[in-house]
Each structure stands twice: as C-alpha cells, then as structure tokens.
C-alpha cells in the first residue's frame, strides 16, 4: 500500500508517517518510481507508535523499545528482558514531570487567589465567565 492508504487506515497524517521513517520507526520498501510501499504489518506498527507516543515516550525512545514489544490486541507487552528497566526509567521521568507541573499549577493558583476582588471580577468578565 502507498503512504496515502496507510494514512487513511491509521488516521496519521502523511507528514508524520514520513517523520516516523526519518526517525527509523518505519521501513517501507521503495518502488522503482521512488514511491514508498508499505505492508500490512506497518498498520500495526503505526498503531504501536501512536500508543507509545500517547504514553509520553519520545520517538528516539520508541526506536529502542518498539522491537521489544508485542501487541496482544488490548495492550503492548514487553518481550525483551532488558526493556523493563528502560520503561521504569521513562515512567519515573513522566512522574517527575507531572509533579513539576502540579507544583507550577499550585503556585499559579496561589497568585490567582491573591488577586483583589475587583481585578478578579474584571478578568472573569473579560474571559466571558
């Protein structure tokens, strides 16, 4: 299948599929005309990539972990013993980012709460709230 069909079947934009190829995540064959030729397995690979991106992994990390994952239909399962250490490290990185964002939101809420009532009223009116 060509890139447009892969895009339609996965819901992923053509430019992102090209980017995945640049990152070493997809490996389409090339026709003599230069067109990319994808196989059925590439549909599943793109879905795995999207799942891992949604989980907060970078494309460089996905390049490393993708070969060590099997799709059971309802989840991705690690198949390489050394992969879990990398996944734990990624989970810890994401947990720290969440903590940092929560701290930032708490600080911002403190600033907002300290605003005088008239300033708050004007701001809410401007926001249409």
């Amino acid at each position: 299948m060509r890139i447009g069909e892969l895009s339609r079947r996965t819901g992923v934009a053509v430019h992102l599929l090209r980017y995945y190829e640049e990152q070493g995540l997809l490996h389409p064959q090339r026709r003599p005309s230069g067109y990319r030729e994808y196989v059925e397995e590439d549909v599943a690979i793109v879905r795995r990539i999207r799942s891992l991106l949604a989980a907060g992994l970078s494309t460089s990390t996905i390049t490393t972990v993708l070969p060590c994952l099997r799709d059971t239909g309802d989840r991705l399962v690690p198949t390489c013993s050394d992969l879990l250490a990398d996944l734990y490290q990624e989970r810890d990185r994401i947990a720290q980012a969440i903590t940092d964002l929560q701290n930032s939101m708490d600080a911002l809420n403190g600033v907002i709460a300290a605003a005088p009532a008239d300033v708050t009223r004007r701001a809410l009116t401007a926001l249409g709230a």
Side-chain angles (χ1 to χ4, degrees), residues 23-115:
Q23 298 302 304
L25 297 169
L26 287 174
H27 307 283
Q29 298 296 314
R30 291 287 185 150
R31 291 181 176 180
S33 63
Y35 288 115
R36 293 166 177 85
E37 182 70 28
Y38 295 92
V39 296
E40 190 63 33
E41 174 63 15
D42 290 323
V43 173
I45 291 171
V46 170
R47 289 188 177 132
R48 282 185 216 127
I49 292 167
R50 300 302 291 178
S51 293
L52 294 168
L53 287 168
L57 301 182
S58 67
T59 54
S60 61
T61 300
I62 293 171
T63 301
T64 322
V65 303
L66 194 59
C68 290
L69 292 173
R70 181 175 45 88
D71 191 344
T72 65
D74 63 335
R75 69 179 54 188
L76 297 174
V77 177
T79 59
C80 303
S81 58
D82 58 342
L83 176 61
L84 280 181
D86 293 336
L87 294 177
Y88 280 123
Q89 187 174 13
E90 285 299 313
R91 186 187 64 185
D92 292 346
R93 180 189 61 78
I94 291 168
Q96 185 59 53
I98 291 168
T99 299
D100 293 344
L101 285 170
Q102 185 63 55
N103 290 338
S104 295
M105 189 165 68
D106 291 346
L108 185 56
N109 284 336
V111 171
I112 291 169

Side-chain angles (χ1 to χ4, degrees), residues 19 21 31 46 116 127:
Y19 175 73
E21 181 184 356
R31 291 181 176 180
V46 170
L127 289 173

